[in-house]
Amino acid sequence: MAGVLQRFEQRLEGAVTGAFARAFRSAVQPVEIAAALQREVDNSAHILSRERMLVPNDFTVELAPSDFERLNPFSTTLAEELETLVKEHVVEQRYTMAGQFAIAFKMVNDLSTGRFRVRSKTTAAVTPVAGQRMTETAVRSADVILEVNGMRHPLSPPGVVIGRGNEAELKIDDPGISRRHAQIKIHQSGAETTVTIVDLDSTNGVVLNGHRVSTAVVADGSEIRLGNTVIIIRMTEVT
């Protein structure tokens, strides 16, 4: 850990000049944020297998108004250095990170000068269904929509295979998801739409509304957990 922090400070010193240096004399120091990010990664790591531990890839640093105002003009440079630091730490500790790294700085009013918080989550990269229109019109007109990591995916019969491999139609880069993990089947008979989730012999299974299932009918608002990813089912026409 010390080596990663030292390299971070050296890189930042090379980038800090003039107003940038004065801004970093604020109560919150970049190295404090860097150390907190490392702790957050370590404390949030959880076991995928005997040799793999998953860590967050999406971070928010909450700052008091005074600290935010001082650091925000240089947030891009700081974010780049923090990304390098976290990735170095992930490599050194042999962690696994799902999806691309993201970091944001946020001003909050419940913190006093010199205090900050780091929040994190695991957000897997999602590749939309090939050939599927992702326009707002397509989403509004779809009978079935999947909500995954803030994205909405309109579906049509017969459904979609979800997995981590290239053979999956909806690809989610989550280490806890199998290459072909599950299939969502859509059947329409007249005005009636039936949606079913099927486990395709995945390693970690399918959890529907808190219960592990092999095959089950899902309803509007159902929560499906595959690996570390939560998928919400939205049905616009239910009979």
Side-chain angles (χ1 to χ4, degrees):
M1 178 180 293
V4 173
L5 284 174
Q6 186 177 31
R7 289 194 295 272
F8 168 78
E9 286 188 294
Q10 290 171 346
R11 286 194 303 267
L12 202 57
E13 285 174 1
V16 171
T17 57
F20 199 8
R22 290 193 294 273
F24 282 170
R25 286 200 285 268
S26 63
V28 172
Q29 297 297 311
V31 70
E32 294 177 314
I33 298 175
L37 283 172
Q38 283 189 326
R39 289 194 300 271
E40 181 69 15
V41 168
D42 292 335
N43 294 338
S44 301
H46 66 273
I47 297 173
L48 290 175
S49 64
R50 188 172 62 179
E51 297 180 351
R52 301 176 73 197
M53 296 187 69
L54 181 69
V55 295
N57 63 302
D58 193 334
F59 301 87
T60 299
V61 180
E62 297 181 345
L63 297 162
S66 56
D67 288 312
F68 180 84
E69 290 174 2
R70 291 187 182 100
L71 296 181
N72 189 52
F74 315 103
S75 60
T76 299
T77 299
L78 181 56
E80 290 172 352
E81 295 301 337
L82 289 170
E83 177 178 359
T84 299
L85 171 135
V86 171
K87 288 182 176 179
E88 285 182 353
H89 186 60
V90 167
V91 170
E92 288 188 0
Q93 300 300 316
R94 299 183 180 180
Y95 291 144
T96 297
M97 182 178 285
Q100 295 184 342
F101 178 92
I103 186 169
F105 301 95
K106 179 180 179 181
M107 181 174 65
V108 296
N109 293 320
D110 66 332
L111 291 174
S112 58
T113 299
R115 300 184 66 84
F116 67 95
R117 281 191 299 261
V118 173
R119 300 188 186 276
S120 67
K121 59 183 178 179
T122 299
T123 306
V126 181
T127 303
V129 179
Q132 181 65 269
R133 294 176 303 153
M134 296 296 293
T135 64
E136 188 63 30
T137 300
V139 171
R140 286 199 303 266
S141 62
D143 290 340
V144 181
I145 299 168
L146 302 186
E147 294 184 358
V148 192
N149 293 343
M151 297 178 64
R152 294 185 295 170
H153 302 266
L155 296 186
S156 56
V160 65
V161 172
I162 303 172
R164 184 169 47 86
N166 292 328
E167 61 270 35
E169 295 163 321
L170 180 62
K171 183 179 177 182
I172 303 178
D173 189 19
D174 180 335
I177 292 179
S178 299
R179 297 186 66 81
R180 281 172 52 89
H181 196 110
Q183 183 177 15
I184 293 181
K185 295 182 177 181
I186 301 174
H187 176 72
Q188 289 181 323
S189 178
E192 183 178 357
T193 300
T194 303
V195 182
T196 305
I197 180 74
V198 180
D199 186 353
L200 300 178
D201 296 323
S202 64
T203 300
N204 294 317
V206 172
V207 177
L208 173 63
N209 297 327
H211 302 282
R212 185 160 178 164
V213 299
S214 56
T215 302
V217 175
V218 300
D220 180 47
S222 292
E223 180 181 288
I224 299 170
R225 179 175 290 275
L226 307 180
N228 304 283
T229 300
V230 174
I231 300 172
I232 305 295
I233 299 288
R234 301 296 183 194
M235 299 175 65
T236 57
E237 293 183 7
V238 180
T239 300

